Amino acid sequence: SVNPDLASERQTASFSVEKLTALLDGGTEQTRIRRAVVEAIESDPVFSRENQYFQTQNERYEAAVRKAVHLQKKMHEMGWTENGPEYKYIYRALSGDVAFLLHRVFMRSISVLGSDKQIAKWIPLASQHKLIGSYAQTELGHGTYLQGLETTAVFDTATQEFILNTPKISAMKWWPGDMGRSATHTVVFAQLYIHGKCYGIHPFIVQIRSLQDHSLCPGITAGDIGPKMNFEHIDNGYLLLKNVRIPRENMLSKFCEVRPDGTYVRQGSQKINYFTMTTVRISLIADEVLTPLMKACTIALRYSAVRRQSKLKPGEQEAKILDYQTQQEKLLPQLAAAYAFHFTNDYLQELFNRGYREIQRKNFDMLPELHALSSGFKAVITQHCTAGVEICLRACGGHGYSLLSGLPSLYTKIIASCIYEGENTILLLQTARFLIKCFMAASAGQPVPPSVTYLAAVKHGKCPAKNKLDFLSPDIYTEAYQHVAVRLTSSTAAKLQDLIQSGVKKHDAWNQCTVQLVQAAKAHCHYIAVKNFAETVEKLETKAGIQKIMKHLCDLFALHGIFSNTGAFLHDGYVSAAQMDMVTASYLDLLAVIRKDAVPLVDAFDFTDKSLNSALGSYDGQVYQRLYEWAQRSPTNQMSPAYERYLKPLLHNTLSKL
Amino acid sequence: SVNPDLASERQTASFSVEKLTALLDGGTEQTRIRRAVVEAIESDPVFSRENQYFQTQNERYEAAVRKAVHLQKKMHEMGWTENGPEYKYIYRALSGDVAFLLHRVFMRSISVLGSDKQIAKWIPLASQHKLIGSYAQTELGHGTYLQGLETTAVFDTATQEFILNTPKISAMKWWPGDMGRSATHTVVFAQLYIHGKCYGIHPFIVQIRSLQDHSLCPGITAGDIGPKMNFEHIDNGYLLLKNVRIPRENMLSKFCEVRPDGTYVRQGSQKINYFTMTTVRISLIADEVLTPLMKACTIALRYSAVRRQSKLKPGEQEAKILDYQTQQEKLLPQLAAAYAFHFTNDYLQELFNRGYREIQRKNFDMLPELHALSSGFKAVITQHCTAGVEICLRACGGHGYSLLSGLPSLYTKIIASCIYEGENTILLLQTARFLIKCFMAASAGQPVPPSVTYLAAVKHGKCPAKNKLDFLSPDIYTEAYQHVAVRLTSSTAAKLQDLIQSGVKKHDAWNQCTVQLVQAAKAHCHYIAVKNFAETVEKLETKAGIQKIMKHLCDLFALHGIFSNTGAFLHDGYVSAAQMDMVTASYLDLLAVIRKDAVPLVDAFDFTDKSLNSALGSYDGQVYQRLYEWAQRSPTNQMSPAYERYLKPLLHNTLSKL
């Protein structure tokens, strides 16, 4: 039975939840396929996450390996293939709680970096799981700056082998997933040396464990790096190499080859490599970032509709916490952001697909823009969504703090996305470098990529809004965002030039501008996200209330951004103080409007109870029963030796004389 | 041997680290006592936290109980008493990793709420640990709003007993520490009923477990609420009561008594009760909030001095990440905040002591101000420090994400402080209510408490700063903060009045202003923190460079607050755009100045390696060796059944036919 406080929220939905779900999925057929995958996975007890919050790191790892192995069987049974339409839903259905994710990266790196011969040899072995692969790039002392990697691969012409070493402790490979306990092979990135000369970083296939008994190979020291804030299911590992010899054929050689005599040959364009990083950054947004935020919103908003605390009106019953303006102000902007970034992701996917087609035609022109956008949005979206999940957690008070709410694990997992695949600050500075370059080009009248043409059109006008309703006009707020992005880019470009002209060395000048460059990059991405959301809303069908509610969310996303960064808009007077008060008024009004549809809006994300795995967020809203039932299952309710050992002697005063 | 990159940071300190430590401690004698306590605790292996990051929740609980029992012995051995000067350092030396904290709350509640007779009976029993106490207030369905508690205590005149019940699942006591597995007794808060009439919430001493064999008493269901984001060492519990009978004498009756015939008698003033909450909120700031932030700063800044990544100047070796402006901008404001709030805490302690003296003279005049300040600062400081710890964690990249860095557990623990002892938003609204009341009174020319007299003096001037150096003048920035606090309070008061005058009901009007009321309360606290820091700096001795470096930190704290909230200062033109650019310039300049003393400034916090328990933050900066050594000890490097069970059949292709 559904909690009546939750049921009532659904009766007054202003739109069709089912239609919105289909919109998010990209069509009703996609929804059908997704649900079929979820159903198949969730009905299989091997994939159960029921006891996840009670398990140790070792238990989590073992379960993830069991699931990964079982998944092979399941896919065969269900007729799912890696190229089929179901494939992309499997990972989401498993909530990522599965091993061998790096095996796929291993395969992809061979496909991208290997010669045809290498692909022909290794890919079938990997596909059939005759080996388990990993990807060993990051070192204990080196992450961001690839050129700084210290692992060496010295070519020995006598034996036609590479001799691999991690010469210092800081050179030890550290973090690679699946490597701590599972992998038999890995792609090691190392500095290539031939006849004493360094040729820079290259990838090498190295076997690290026996295929017979899984013992470590000669010269290999490897293990698990220990406990982390989350990812208990993954055996992130370390790897030391001591004079490990591999055949010449194991250097991945699509782009660079070492001939038998030690001649180094570079061939083809490596530009496609940058495209791989772009791919990864875009592909993680949906599964690793948006899904957790959507889950957190679902949990927090359903809970806020059934949790009653304190009174809004004297004499009445305690109010739903969702009816408090402060609670709305915490949660509804996160909900709006989840929708906004869902559409941003669509935009990036489309851009990416277009870029991919161009690249296949050997046209690499779109690469800089793609790199800048994927870097910037990876940073902005992971940052925004991580903060959003934290807000959801805290908005659920004490119960949010229980692991059983599901929120702590969403948080401890999503925060990693701010660090991996490019640390966010580094990425934003990459975007900023692109912006400054394009701004200079645009100022000089040169052509620039489509996403930054706006930088050329610096307008010095004022925001034309006359009353608070004007701020519900997408043109008004989109232009305000654009104005801020231009201002921050141009003022930072000016500061940079001033510093250089005053004699500061270029790299010092750059460093002295980085705090402001980061702001400019964020403003650029924020502007594009708002613009894209507004354009998406305009194209939506007007039926079934979808466009109307999406318009509200778009307005909220935009106005929340202004309300939270008033200084950026007020700074040069583009928005006046009186106008800012209108923004605030419109923003607060919107909270009350969207609050009415809050539960239907999270229902549309269509998470099952099993996928949420939350005592607070289930569809039926029976929060307290579930917390109690789940707590009773906790290992902390087993007999503890603490009583006999410590408490009894204390209480019976039989401790050795105090 | 100290990492040379860290050693060099210490050689150029602009001040005496030892003198600053003494300042923080409140004198060299305090430093001496603190170090003696730390030494005694850390040299005792029972108190070791060495394997903490590898332990399960059950193991953490058992260790905490062991430590709590052992502590009794240790105190006796060392001659430490609860009233001695060492006592306050014990908890910090244990990093809070000890059981029976609620036993002390149990005792305090009896001391404060019990009659002389009750105190005489229970306190000796508790002191001698003939029972273990807990404190059962919060229910599954009720936290913030005490009047909403559902547990009942019905007086039975026939037997002279109270009959206690938790009539619904939402009435179940939930969260009390030490109650899940350890406690034998607890103070239960319940609605008192006599002859069918409800007299509201009252405290009752209830035995829940046998003193003989620790089995649950008749009518009691109790257990552990399961895994949480942190606090694995504490057995937060649940408690169901079914017709549990306790003698009439077990209602704590300092303020209210039930006579044998059922007559309800109220006696004395309960005002002192509010003072207890104030006490708790102030007392948690140092141990639960400032210490974690100071530890996080120590870890992150030492790590930033030894971690080298990428190049600042072409051709040079990789740079210390501390030399990047963006890294400075993440960490140094957190360091400044740690110092700022340390001095805020001194201010609150002094105010509290003064209030306590007044209350002992039956003068309760200071209570509203004390309540407003302790509520507001509890919220502002926990919020600020939680965000600060998260920033420190993320600023250490991947290694920060390892539990071995110590940062994840600091974060997952400190975030709870935003929720317990008053949820932050609720607390800020209490402060705001006080502000609005005082603003109205001040506007009407009535006297108001000292901390809010500034609200009466609304000035409409402009910030007089003429160049960036002017923003290093405390008068300039303190006045700017004051101006913003007044503006936010007065404009929200005006909105509230407008709404009420336009016919909106008072409670609705209040709810519609709460987002802005929270802003006003924060601005008030921020202003007081800045003002207090500036005043503290002025009084410091000018020797040994202490005052100079504290002045820099004060400036940074103030300018970071403006830089991060530019809109609040720009809104009505008090600070102009040109002046805001000066703020930014001065702020960024300060980062480079303070960066030079960053390591000495965290050294002054004087944490031992054992208390930091961090592979990244040790005094010697040998980060990579420690990460590697610690990881090798992880249980994840024990043999796993996963190979034989899953990996071997997969690799040997002996899984049942795929």
Side-chain angles (χ1 to χ4, degrees):
Chain A
S1 68
V2 174
N3 185 317
D5 279 340
L6 195 53
S8 67
E9 298 287 334
R10 293 180 173 127
Q11 281 157 10
T12 52
S14 78
F15 63 92
S16 156
V17 170
E18 190 62 19
K19 285 225 163 119
L20 183 52
T21 298
L23 172 71
L24 291 168
D25 279 325
T28 50
E29 176 60 9
Q30 293 296 313
T31 300
R32 192 192 60 74
I33 297 170
R34 178 176 56 71
R35 286 178 178 162
V37 170
V38 168
E39 166 61 23
I41 300 266
E42 292 189 350
S43 63
D44 187 329
V46 175
F47 296 120
S48 168
R49 294 162 61 227
E50 201 181 358
N51 290 312
Q52 182 175 306
Y53 304 128
F54 306 132
Q55 290 175 325
T56 65
Q57 190 176 359
N58 276 338
E59 289 164 346
R60 291 290 303 278
Y61 163 70
E62 283 149 27
V65 170
R66 186 179 70 236
K67 289 179 192 183
V69 172
H70 187 68
L71 181 60
Q72 300 305 314
K73 204 172 154 185
K74 192 82 188 175
M75 286 182 64
H76 184 75
E77 266 174 32
M78 300 298 296
W80 299 338
T81 66
E82 302 212 352
N83 303 315
E86 296 86 1
Y87 193 71
K88 67 171 173 170
Y89 298 119
I90 295 174
Y91 183 80
R92 171 173 153 147
L94 292 166
S95 293
D97 205 25
V98 61
F100 305 162
L101 298 175
L102 271 287
H103 185 67
R104 292 186 52 74
V105 179
F106 174 83
M107 289 173 72
R108 191 172 55 214
S109 60
I110 292 172
S111 307
V112 173
L113 306 172
S115 66
D116 292 346
K117 211 171 145 187
Q118 288 169 324
I119 293 171
K121 173 179 175 183
W122 292 100
I123 296 297
L125 289 172
S127 300
Q128 296 161 45
H129 286 96
K130 291 189 175 166
L131 56 79
I132 297 165
S134 174
Y135 182 87
Q137 178 178 300
T138 300
E139 296 175 356
L140 198 37
H142 307 276
T144 297
Y145 185 66
L146 284 193
Q147 289 140 277
L149 293 177
E150 294 178 290
T151 301
T152 56
V154 177
F155 185 59
D156 180 352
T157 40
T159 62
Q160 293 291 300
E161 290 172 317
F162 295 104
I163 309 164
L164 276 82
N165 276 288
T166 45
K168 296 165 63 181
I169 190 165
S170 52
M172 189 185 322
K173 295 296 176 185
W174 194 269
W175 278 112
D178 295 335
M179 196 176 75
R181 315 178 84 167
S182 298
T184 61
H185 288 68
T186 189
V187 173
V188 170
F189 285 80
Q191 302 282 0
L192 169 65
Y193 283 88
I194 311 172
H195 301 317
K197 184 181 165 192
C198 182
Y199 288 85
I201 292 299
H202 289 73
F204 303 84
I205 299 180
V206 180
Q207 181 171 352
I208 59 172
R209 288 186 178 92
S210 157
L211 288 170
Q212 282 314 305
D213 63 6
H214 218 237
S215 60
L216 292 171
C217 294
I220 302 286
T221 304
D224 186 279
I225 64 165
K228 299 143 294 186
M229 204 169 178
N230 195 310
F231 291 89
E232 294 96 338
H233 63 296
I234 300 292
D235 55 322
N236 297 94
Y238 61 81
L239 175 69
L240 285 161
L241 302 162
K242 191 165 183 193
N243 294 323
V244 173
R245 288 178 169 267
I246 57 168
R248 188 179 64 89
E249 292 74 21
N250 278 22
M251 184 174 108
L252 291 176
S253 56
K254 182 169 193 168
F255 303 113
C256 309
E257 196 187 352
V258 179
R259 298 256 165 90
D261 65 349
T263 312
Y264 179 82
V265 186
R266 186 176 285 276
Q267 52 204 358
S269 163
Q270 275 190 297
K271 279 187 182 167
I272 189 79
N273 273 348
Y274 294 94
F275 192 65
T276 310
M277 291 194 298
T278 303
T279 316
V280 175
R281 282 175 197 145
I282 293 176
S283 69
L284 70 85
I285 292 174
D287 281 335
E288 306 299 342
V289 189
L290 293 180
T291 298
L293 178 61
M294 288 171 173
K295 284 185 177 178
C297 287
T298 305
I299 295 167
L301 283 164
R302 285 183 183 163
Y303 177 67
S304 298
V306 301
R307 174 75 168 183
R308 289 179 174 272
Q309 201 74 186
S310 205
K311 301 192 180 188
L312 259 174
K313 298 182 197 186
E316 289 195 353
Q317 74 171 136
E318 290 188 66
K320 292 178 175 181
I321 57 174
L322 187 51
D323 286 323
Y324 292 95
Q325 188 189 49
T326 46
Q327 186 76 352
Q328 293 165 11
E329 211 267 325
K330 288 175 191 174
L331 297 179
L332 299 181
Q334 313 319 318
L335 181 63
Y339 277 92
F341 292 135
H342 172 87
F343 296 119
T344 304
N345 187 47
D346 285 350
Y347 161 82
L348 291 172
Q349 289 289 351
E350 201 187 301
L351 204 73
F352 170 83
N353 292 337
R354 197 147 23 100
Y356 188 64
R357 285 193 299 273
E358 290 300 315
I359 282 164
Q360 285 179 317
R361 294 163 47 197
K362 304 274 175 213
N363 173 8
F364 298 103
D365 291 354
M366 276 183 73
L367 266 182
E369 185 184 31
L370 262 177
H371 177 63
L373 281 169
S374 64
S375 300
F377 272 115
K378 185 274 185 184
V380 165
I381 297 179
T382 57
Q383 160 67 35
H384 207 113
C385 293
T386 298
V389 172
E390 199 209 272
I391 290 168
C392 289
L393 187 157
R394 286 174 48 182
C396 294
H399 294 322
Y401 191 75
S402 165
L403 287 201
L404 307 180
S405 75
L407 292 164
S409 56
L410 288 172
Y411 177 78
T412 53
K413 194 169 182 192
I414 196 175
I415 192 178
S417 71
C418 297
I419 301 164
Y420 62 59
E421 297 301 340
E423 193 277 329
N424 279 355
T425 304
I426 309 290
L427 292 182
L428 287 166
L429 288 172
Q430 306 247 332
T431 306
R433 201 174 282 279
F434 171 79
L435 285 180
I436 295 293
K437 211 168 152 185
C438 292
F439 175 78
M440 304 301 238
S443 305
Q446 291 159 13
V448 293
S451 63
V452 285
T453 46
Y454 77 95
L455 290 175
V458 190
K459 288 172 230 162
H460 291 287
K462 304 271 177 192
C463 173
K466 293 204 166 40
N467 58 58
K468 70 176 181 178
L469 294 179
D470 286 346
F471 279 103
L472 303 180
S473 154
D475 287 347
I476 297 280
Y477 55 68
T478 306
E479 285 215 7
Y481 273 94
Q482 187 191 88
H483 180 87
V484 168
V486 173
R487 181 175 64 75
L488 290 173
T489 303
S490 62
S491 67
T492 313
K495 175 178 170 183
L496 196 58
Q497 279 193 306
D498 285 354
L499 284 168
I500 293 167
Q501 275 166 17
S502 74
V504 179
K505 293 249 171 66
K506 217 169 169 179
H507 48 263
D508 282 332
W510 178 262
N511 192 25
Q512 287 171 38
C513 291
T514 46
V515 167
Q516 287 149 303
L517 286 164
V518 165
Q519 289 183 329
K522 283 183 184 171
H524 170 67
C525 293
H526 211 152
Y527 158 59
I528 292 181
V530 167
K531 179 160 158 277
N532 177 66
F533 198 172
E535 287 170 359
T536 303
V537 168
E538 210 165 300
K539 282 179 256 164
L540 291 176
E541 59 172 330
T542 53
K543 284 178 296 186
I546 302 288
Q547 193 189 42
K548 194 172 164 202
I549 187 69
M550 288 299 109
K551 167 72 166 59
H552 288 321
L553 285 175
C554 179
D555 294 347
L556 187 71
F557 178 70
L559 297 190
H560 175 255
I562 303 178
F563 179 75
S564 311
N565 301 283
T566 53
F569 296 83
L570 289 166
H571 188 279
D572 63 351
Y574 182 83
V575 171
S576 70
Q579 286 172 325
M580 195 54 82
D581 293 340
M582 297 171 199
V583 168
T584 303
S586 262
Y587 169 62
L588 296 176
D589 288 349
L590 268 173
L591 294 176
V593 172
I594 295 171
R595 179 258 170 271
K596 293 179 200 150
D597 278 320
V599 169
L601 280 166
V602 296
D603 285 348
F605 295 144
D606 203 27
F607 292 113
T608 61
D609 284 0
K610 283 185 180 173
S611 75
L612 290 174
N613 206 13
S614 163
L616 305 191
S618 60
Y619 188 83
D620 65 10
Q622 298 297 358
V623 168
Y624 300 139
Q625 285 84 339
R626 220 161 251 117
L627 276 171
Y628 182 41
E629 286 161 21
W630 290 17
Q632 287 171 284
R633 296 207 326 261
S634 168
T636 51
N637 283 312
Q638 294 159 2
M639 273 297 287
S640 165
Y643 174 69
E644 287 292 333
R645 279 191 205 151
Y646 313 114
L647 293 177
K648 192 173 168 186
L650 181 74
L651 290 165
H652 290 200
N653 203 13
T654 55
L655 286 175
S656 57
K657 191 177 148 294
L658 286 186
Chain B
S1 70
V2 174
N3 186 316
D5 279 340
L6 196 52
S8 67
E9 298 287 334
R10 294 182 172 125
Q11 281 156 9
T12 52
S14 77
F15 63 93
S16 157
V17 171
E18 189 64 18
K19 284 227 163 118
L20 182 52
T21 298
L23 173 70
L24 290 168
D25 280 326
T28 51
E29 175 60 8
Q30 293 297 314
T31 301
R32 193 192 60 73
I33 297 170
R34 179 176 56 72
R35 285 177 179 164
V37 171
V38 168
E39 165 61 22
I41 298 267
E42 291 188 351
S43 64
D44 186 329
V46 175
F47 296 119
S48 168
R49 293 161 63 227
E50 200 181 1
N51 290 311
Q52 183 175 306
Y53 304 129
F54 305 133
Q55 289 175 326
T56 64
Q57 191 176 359
N58 276 337
E59 289 164 347
R60 291 289 304 278
Y61 163 70
E62 283 149 26
V65 170
R66 186 178 69 237
K67 290 179 191 182
V69 172
H70 187 69
L71 181 60
Q72 300 306 314
K73 205 173 154 184
K74 192 83 189 175
M75 286 182 64
H76 183 76
E77 267 173 33
M78 300 298 296
W80 299 338
T81 64
E82 303 211 351
N83 303 314
E86 297 88 0
Y87 194 71
K88 66 172 174 171
Y89 298 118
I90 296 175
Y91 182 79
R92 170 172 154 148
L94 292 167
S95 293
D97 207 23
V98 62
F100 305 163
L101 299 176
L102 270 287
H103 185 67
R104 291 187 53 73
V105 178
F106 173 83
M107 288 173 73
R108 192 172 54 213
S109 61
I110 292 172
S111 307
V112 173
L113 305 172
S115 65
D116 292 345
K117 211 171 146 187
Q118 288 169 327
I119 293 172
K121 174 180 175 181
W122 293 100
I123 295 298
L125 290 172
S127 300
Q128 296 161 45
H129 286 97
K130 292 191 174 164
L131 57 82
I132 298 166
S134 173
Y135 182 86
Q137 178 177 302
T138 301
E139 296 175 358
L140 198 37
H142 307 277
T144 297
Y145 184 67
L146 284 193
Q147 288 139 278
L149 292 178
E150 294 178 291
T151 302
T152 56
V154 177
F155 185 58
D156 180 352
T157 39
T159 62
Q160 293 290 302
E161 290 173 318
F162 294 104
I163 309 164
L164 276 81
N165 275 288
T166 46
K168 296 164 65 181
I169 190 166
S170 52
M172 189 186 319
K173 295 297 176 184
W174 195 269
W175 279 112
D178 296 335
M179 197 177 73
R181 315 178 87 166
S182 298
T184 61
H185 288 68
T186 188
V187 172
V188 169
F189 284 80
Q191 303 283 0
L192 169 65
Y193 283 87
I194 310 172
H195 302 318
K197 185 181 164 191
C198 182
Y199 287 83
I201 291 299
H202 289 75
F204 303 85
I205 299 180
V206 180
Q207 181 172 353
I208 60 172
R209 287 186 178 92
S210 156
L211 288 170
Q212 282 314 306
D213 63 7
H214 219 239
S215 61
L216 292 171
C217 294
I220 302 287
T221 305
D224 186 280
I225 64 166
K228 298 143 293 185
M229 205 169 179
N230 196 308
F231 291 90
E232 294 97 338
H233 62 297
I234 300 292
D235 54 323
N236 297 93
Y238 61 81
L239 174 69
L240 284 161
L241 302 162
K242 193 167 180 189
N243 293 324
V244 173
R245 288 178 169 266
I246 57 168
R248 188 178 64 91
E249 292 74 21
N250 278 23
M251 183 175 109
L252 291 175
S253 56
K254 182 169 194 167
F255 302 112
C256 310
E257 195 188 351
V258 178
R259 299 257 165 89
D261 65 349
T263 310
Y264 179 84
V265 185
R266 185 176 286 277
Q267 53 204 358
S269 163
Q270 274 192 297
K271 279 187 181 166
I272 189 78
N273 273 347
Y274 293 94
F275 192 65
T276 309
M277 291 193 298
T278 303
T279 317
V280 175
R281 281 175 196 145
I282 293 177
S283 69
L284 69 86
I285 291 174
D287 281 334
E288 307 298 341
V289 189
L290 294 179
T291 299
L293 177 62
M294 289 171 172
K295 285 185 177 178
C297 287
T298 305
I299 296 167
L301 283 164
R302 286 183 183 163
Y303 177 68
S304 297
V306 301
R307 174 75 170 183
R308 289 179 175 272
Q309 201 73 186
S310 205
K311 301 192 180 187
L312 257 176
K313 299 180 194 184
E316 290 196 352
Q317 75 171 134
E318 291 187 68
K320 292 178 175 182
I321 57 175
L322 187 50
D323 285 323
Y324 292 95
Q325 189 189 49
T326 46
Q327 187 76 353
Q328 294 165 11
E329 211 267 325
K330 287 174 192 176
L331 297 179
L332 299 180
Q334 312 320 317
L335 180 63
Y339 277 93
F341 292 135
H342 172 86
F343 296 120
T344 304
N345 186 46
D346 285 349
Y347 162 81
L348 291 172
Q349 290 289 352
E350 201 187 299
L351 204 71
F352 170 83
N353 292 338
R354 198 151 19 103
Y356 188 63
R357 285 193 299 273
E358 289 301 314
I359 282 164
Q360 284 179 317
R361 292 163 47 198
K362 303 278 174 209
N363 172 8
F364 299 103
D365 291 354
M366 277 183 73
L367 265 183
E369 185 184 30
L370 261 178
H371 176 65
L373 281 169
S374 64
S375 300
F377 272 115
K378 184 273 184 184
V380 165
I381 297 178
T382 57
Q383 161 67 33
H384 207 113
C385 294
T386 298
V389 172
E390 199 208 271
I391 289 168
C392 290
L393 187 156
R394 285 173 49 181
C396 294
H399 293 323
Y401 190 75
S402 165
L403 286 201
L404 307 180
S405 74
L407 292 164
S409 56
L410 288 173
Y411 176 77
T412 53
K413 194 169 183 192
I414 197 176
I415 192 178
S417 72
C418 299
I419 300 164
Y420 61 57
E421 297 302 339
E423 193 277 329
N424 279 355
T425 304
I426 308 290
L427 291 183
L428 287 165
L429 289 173
Q430 306 246 333
T431 306
R433 200 176 280 279
F434 170 80
L435 285 180
I436 295 293
K437 212 168 148 184
C438 292
F439 176 77
M440 304 301 238
S443 306
Q446 291 157 13
V448 292
S451 63
V452 284
T453 46
Y454 76 95
L455 291 175
V458 190
K459 290 172 229 160
H460 292 284
K462 303 272 177 193
C463 172
K466 294 203 167 39
N467 57 58
K468 70 177 182 178
L469 294 179
D470 286 345
F471 279 103
L472 302 179
S473 154
D475 287 346
I476 296 281
Y477 53 69
T478 305
E479 284 215 9
Y481 273 94
Q482 186 190 91
H483 180 87
V484 168
V486 172
R487 182 176 63 74
L488 290 173
T489 303
S490 63
S491 67
T492 312
K495 176 179 169 183
L496 196 58
Q497 279 193 308
D498 286 353
L499 283 168
I500 291 167
Q501 274 165 18
S502 74
V504 178
K505 294 248 172 68
K506 219 168 168 178
H507 49 263
D508 282 331
W510 179 261
N511 192 25
Q512 287 172 40
C513 291
T514 45
V515 167
Q516 287 149 303
L517 286 163
V518 165
Q519 289 184 327
K522 284 181 182 171
H524 170 66
C525 293
H526 211 152
Y527 158 58
I528 292 180
V530 167
K531 181 162 158 272
N532 178 67
F533 199 171
E535 287 169 359
T536 303
V537 168
E538 209 164 299
K539 282 179 256 164
L540 290 176
E541 59 172 331
T542 53
K543 284 179 295 187
I546 301 288
Q547 193 189 43
K548 192 170 166 208
I549 187 68
M550 287 300 109
K551 167 71 166 61
H552 288 322
L553 285 176
C554 179
D555 293 348
L556 187 71
F557 178 70
L559 297 190
H560 175 255
I562 302 178
F563 180 76
S564 311
N565 300 283
T566 53
F569 296 83
L570 289 165
H571 188 278
D572 62 352
Y574 182 84
V575 171
S576 70
Q579 287 171 324
M580 194 54 80
D581 293 341
M582 297 170 198
V583 168
T584 302
S586 262
Y587 169 63
L588 296 176
D589 288 349
L590 269 173
L591 294 177
V593 172
I594 295 171
R595 178 259 169 273
K596 293 179 200 150
D597 278 319
V599 169
L601 280 167
V602 296
D603 284 349
F605 295 144
D606 202 28
F607 292 113
T608 62
D609 284 359
K610 283 186 180 172
S611 76
L612 290 174
N613 206 12
S614 163
L616 303 192
S618 59
Y619 189 83
D620 66 9
Q622 297 297 358
V623 169
Y624 301 140
Q625 285 84 337
R626 220 160 252 117
L627 275 171
Y628 182 40
E629 286 162 19
W630 290 18
Q632 287 171 283
R633 297 206 327 261
S634 168
T636 52
N637 283 313
Q638 294 158 2
M639 274 296 287
S640 165
Y643 174 68
E644 287 292 334
R645 279 190 205 152
Y646 313 114
L647 293 176
K648 190 173 171 187
L650 180 75
L651 290 164
H652 290 201
N653 202 13
T654 54
L655 284 176
S656 56
K657 189 177 150 291
L658 286 186

